[in-house]
Amino acid sequence: MSQFKTIDNFDLNGKRVLVRVDFNVPVVDGKISDNSRIVRVIPTLKDLKARGAKIILMAHFGRPKGKAVPEMSLLPVVAGLSEALGGEKISFASDCIGAEAAAKVGALGEGEILLLENLRFHAGEEANDSVFAAELAKLGDVYINDAFSAAHRAHASTEALARLLPAAAGRLMQMELEHLEQALGQPKRPVAALVGGAKVSTKLDLLGNLVGKVDVLVIGGGMANTFLNAQGIPVGRSLCEHEMADTARTILKEAEQRGCKVILPSDVVVAAGLSAGVATSVVAATAVPENEMILDAGPASAQEIAEELKSCKTLVWNGPLGCFETEPFDQATNQVARAAAALTKSGSLLTVAGGGDTVSALIHAGVEQDFSYISTAGGAFLEWLEGKTLPGVQVLQDVA
């Protein structure tokens, strides 16, 4: 991964610093129900405050499609951000460009914070419009991108703006990129990847990229059923993309040619349907009853994965092994997550996870504090795993 500038490369005292953050947080009845994305950016804000910067925050919320939609205002975030900063006053501008925004930026003192209204109220944001980016640039002296989760979009605030001002990565962005480089850029080997989820069709690029980069590929969730089926193994009423059989066989063949070991479930937990309290049984993956469905990997499979991880140095995790939201189909995910966490704490395994339901699954397993790094990014994390160029990252490298 190419080098990029960070906050450390600039003297920010008295400078107007435009910071792109991700405050696209869930809001229920006007209150934030999960503030984790706000909490993750606090180290950057505290660092900027300590350096005497005048901090102007830019973010999006929802999909207003270029129009000012009142229920998609960032105003409710002000209270949540203030609370996360210990009650500090946060100013708010009812637009992200124009006279009011300029006036409020001009009134900022060193270390003070201003949140601009939803960038996506302007069509120029998602269009990566140079004129809109230039209007944003008028408000700042330096640009900081601390929104890795939005880095897969070439938008005005993530791409065009970085070419108009001295640009750098914030602490969260820096942490994400450094851990991703450790995980797949220049990793300690052997490298394992655990990929779960419902459908092979949504993760073709991911699997295709990983078989050429990792030493062990663990496939779980509904995806595993498609791979079992592709090998002629009946999967009963399980979720399965039968039409993807040829694709699954191609991936398995490519993995074999590249020396990548693929681990599929050897035993599975089956039931007549997905519901709490349903009768379950553990059967060999080759003995699934035709009227039942696979809802989790079995205990022997979980143990096999845990044992395999003992010989690995790096693990990249994306997706659960089963329907973890409904007990008892969380057991395999919990068992493997706890094994990976224990190896991480012992210092023998670097663990990087993110995307989709992964964060929820690891929180459910009680190990979110024990992994080396858990990314809050969804699409950006997945596209990085797929080997795609992320515009918001690429531009920081281009201008470094």
Side-chain angles (χ1 to χ4, degrees), residues 341-366:
L343 292 169
T344 305
K345 287 200 286 186
S346 74
S348 66
L349 186 67
L350 174 82
T351 46
V352 177
D357 294 326
T358 311
V359 178
S360 296
L362 297 182
I363 290 173
H364 178 76

Side-chain angles (χ1 to χ4, degrees), residues 350-389:
L350 174 82
T351 46
V352 177
D357 294 326
T358 311
V359 178
S360 296
L362 297 182
I363 290 173
H364 178 76
V367 300
E368 72 275 14
Q369 299 299 323
D370 300 324
F371 268 48
S372 305
Y373 191 74
I374 297 180
S375 173
T376 56
F381 185 83
L382 192 58
E383 289 195 19
W384 171 80
L385 284 183
E386 292 169 353
K388 295 179 179 177
T389 297

Side-chain angles (χ1 to χ4, degrees), residues 131-318:
V131 175
F132 178 66
E135 287 298 308
L136 291 172
K138 290 178 183 178
L139 302 176
D141 303 304
V142 176
Y143 168 77
I144 301 290
N145 192 342
D146 213 27
F148 175 77
S149 50
H152 58 312
R153 306 297 188 199
H155 290 172
S157 67
T158 60
E159 207 276 340
L161 182 56
R163 301 186 187 278
L164 300 177
L165 295 173
R171 295 305 185 205
L172 177 57
M173 173 75 84
Q174 179 183 351
M175 192 182 303
E176 293 262 7
L177 296 181
E178 288 174 349
H179 279 93
L180 298 185
E181 177 70 8
Q182 283 182 290
L184 279 188
Q186 311 235 336
K188 291 183 179 179
R189 293 189 175 275
V191 182
L194 191 158
V195 181
K199 296 183 177 182
V200 174
S201 56
T202 62
K203 296 195 175 181
L204 277 178
D205 290 343
L206 171 59
L207 295 171
N209 187 48
L210 289 179
V211 294
K213 289 193 172 184
V214 305
D215 305 292
V216 179
L217 176 60
V218 180
I219 300 176
M223 294 171 56
N225 305 337
T226 299
F227 279 86
L228 293 171
N229 171 72
Q231 295 174 302
I233 299 172
V235 293
R237 293 175 44 245
S238 307
L239 175 65
C240 177
E241 293 178 288
H242 296 274
E243 71 281 5
M244 298 296 294
D246 287 343
T247 301
R249 285 189 286 267
T250 298
I251 291 170
L252 291 173
K253 184 176 181 180
E254 184 177 353
E256 183 179 7
Q257 292 172 344
R258 289 174 172 263
C260 173
K261 178 180 180 180
V262 177
I263 297 179
L264 290 165
S266 58
D267 66 336
V268 292
V269 180
V270 298
L274 178 59
S275 59
V278 69
T280 68
S281 57
V282 177
V283 300
T286 54
V288 176
E290 63 179 25
N291 63 336
E292 296 197 346
M293 58 180 67
I294 301 171
L295 295 170
D296 196 13
S301 299
Q303 186 59 35
E304 178 189 1
I305 298 166
E307 288 296 321
E308 187 71 35
L309 293 181
K310 290 180 180 178
S311 62
C312 293
K313 296 295 183 184
T314 305
L315 170 65
V316 179
W317 187 319
N318 175 251

